[in-house]
Amino acid sequence: MTILYLFIIGSLVSCKKGELASVTETIVTAPLDTVKNTIPPVIDPVSTGPVVTIGTGSGILVLKNQEGKNFKITAGTYSGFQFENIKNCTVDGKNAAKIVGGGVTINTVNGLTLGGFSISNTSTRAVDIYNQANDLILKDIQISNVTDVTISNHINNKYDGTAASFSNNIQLLNIKADNILTFFASDGGISNSGFTGLIKNFVMKGCTITNSPNLSDGVWLPCAEDYVIANNVIDKVNASNNNHNGIFHLSGNGKIYNNKCTNHQGNMVRAWLFSITKAGVVEIYNNIVYNSTRYGAFELQVPPYIKAFSTFKPADAKVYNNTVGKLNTGLPKFFEGRLLDVYEMFGNIQVYNNLVFEDSDNIILNRMSADPITKNSDNIYKNTWSEAVSDLTSFRSLVPGVGAQ
């Protein structure tokens, strides 16, 4: 998956916006929906047993054909790590190992928890994933100054219902990325013949992406079921960029919640919706989005090329309890920034309890769709930030029950 391909995909859909006024100035009386933040637990494959020290402190660290072991990486500066045919192992750099000018190759893993190191100053991909990846947990990694896709998943198997035909439980946890291009990109998609590159239970949680003027799509998932994007912080990205991107550009279905995205260009979420093995829902809630130079906070749509596939099945969407403000400030201004851009998605939509402030007007939605909005209530607009939130750091809502909670 190259950056050029991400740009081409992003340009397939028109950015022309229509408008629909939908503002309710009454205080919400309905209770907040019960939030079910179910994330697969982080369980290191090996909780007890001896720790084996590996690596010399320099060169390329190679680990192959291992099962059920704990490894500690010798402190030092490496040119790369290579892991192949690993099952139920942990590998920990103890925050003393670093890769400079290179990256990590992961090939055929079923149970690998890898972390505790840094990657910096590389013109190649920081992490490449090949062949098979299940229960792969990348956590507590510092990444900086990467001029290619940061984490690239090359697995593109045709889904046939068997466990070998998809990836399951890839988790990115507490990764700190600064001055990078796309954070995670995967191969795959939907076609008339079915699905390829399917990832089930993808999780990105507790990560930060900062100071990345050419990020473009921050996360590109072309085929994912039950993804979870939660508790991430995005700040100062895409300052040099002017394409239509999504910080989280996600195709399939899942949940996006408790994220904070500030000082950026692009939609925080571009959700391209479809169901895969079961009826799917996209939920976007408890997010904070503030100060974008281009585009609204969220986009929901099914691009025409996806709708044309015989395998396409629609998914529903819920957008609620988000706080967004000061959107689409860039000039020239071709359209106004809104809470939500709704294109044709062929499913039901619910939009409620959202707090919007400091835009050019009080219009909440750009609507280019005839899809039914089955719930459209208690979306509150305020002219200034001081009427809406306590401050521009925590963004604590001043409207009870409305906005991010």
Side-chain angles (χ1 to χ4, degrees), residues 52-55 60-69 71 73 80-91 104-112 114 130:
V52 180
T53 300
I54 55 174
I60 297 177
L61 168 64
V62 179
L63 188 68
K64 294 184 178 182
N65 305 320
Q66 299 292 329
E67 180 175 356
K69 296 178 182 178
F71 295 96
I73 302 173
F81 298 161
Q82 296 179 4
F83 302 100
E84 183 176 348
N85 192 25
I86 305 296
K87 184 176 181 180
N88 297 333
C89 292
T90 67
V91 180
V104 178
T105 300
I106 298 171
N107 190 334
T108 313
V109 297
N110 289 280
L112 170 64
L114 172 63
Y130 296 99

Side-chain angles (χ1 to χ4, degrees), residues 237-238 241-243 245 247 263-267 293-295:
V237 301
N238 284 333
N241 198 21
N242 201 35
N243 72 328
N245 63 79
I247 308 301
N263 308 312
H264 64 287
Q265 184 267 351
N267 299 114
T293 58
R294 199 57 97 214
Y295 303 101

Side-chain angles (χ1 to χ4, degrees), residues 20 30-31 45 49 54 78 112 125 145 147 251 254 286 301 321 370 385:
L20 173 69
I54 55 174
Y78 294 82
L112 170 64
R125 295 178 177 91
N145 303 325
T147 58
S251 293
N286 282 357
Q301 75 158 310
N321 283 101
W385 71 263

Side-chain angles (χ1 to χ4, degrees), residues 254-382:
K255 296 183 179 183
I256 307 104
Y257 59 88
N258 296 354
N259 302 286
K260 183 179 181 181
C261 183
T262 54
N263 308 312
H264 64 287
Q265 184 267 351
N267 299 114
M268 192 198 91
V269 176
R270 295 189 83 184
W272 292 1
L273 298 81
F274 51 85
S275 296
I276 301 174
T277 70
K278 57 187 178 182
V281 179
V282 170
E283 291 191 52
I284 303 173
Y285 59 95
N286 282 357
N287 300 287
I288 294 167
V289 186
Y290 180 73
N291 194 26
S292 70
T293 58
R294 199 57 97 214
Y295 303 101
F298 314 123
E299 173 191 293
L300 296 173
Q301 75 158 310
V302 177
Y305 81 94
I306 289 180
K307 174 61 171 64
F309 295 134
S310 60
T311 51
F312 168 74
K313 294 174 288 187
D316 294 334
K318 297 171 67 176
V319 180
Y320 58 97
N321 283 101
N322 300 284
T323 296
V324 306
K326 200 176 180 182
L327 302 173
N328 199 43
T329 63
L331 296 174
K333 186 167 291 192
F334 306 108
F335 47 82
E336 299 299 338
R338 309 292 188 213
L339 166 79
L340 179 63
D341 301 330
V342 185
Y343 295 83
E344 295 289 345
M345 50 167 281
F346 310 101
N348 295 317
I349 314 167
Q350 298 182 39
V351 184
Y352 57 94
N353 293 5
N354 297 287
L355 178 60
V356 183
F357 64 92
E358 212 172 287
D359 286 341
S360 62
D361 55 40
N362 65 350
I363 296 175
I364 298 295
L365 305 180
N366 282 322
R367 190 174 183 192
M368 288 68 66
S369 166
D371 296 312
I373 299 182
T374 58
K375 184 175 183 179
N376 186 7
S377 62
D378 298 302
N379 299 302
I380 306 298
Y381 180 81
K382 300 293 185 182

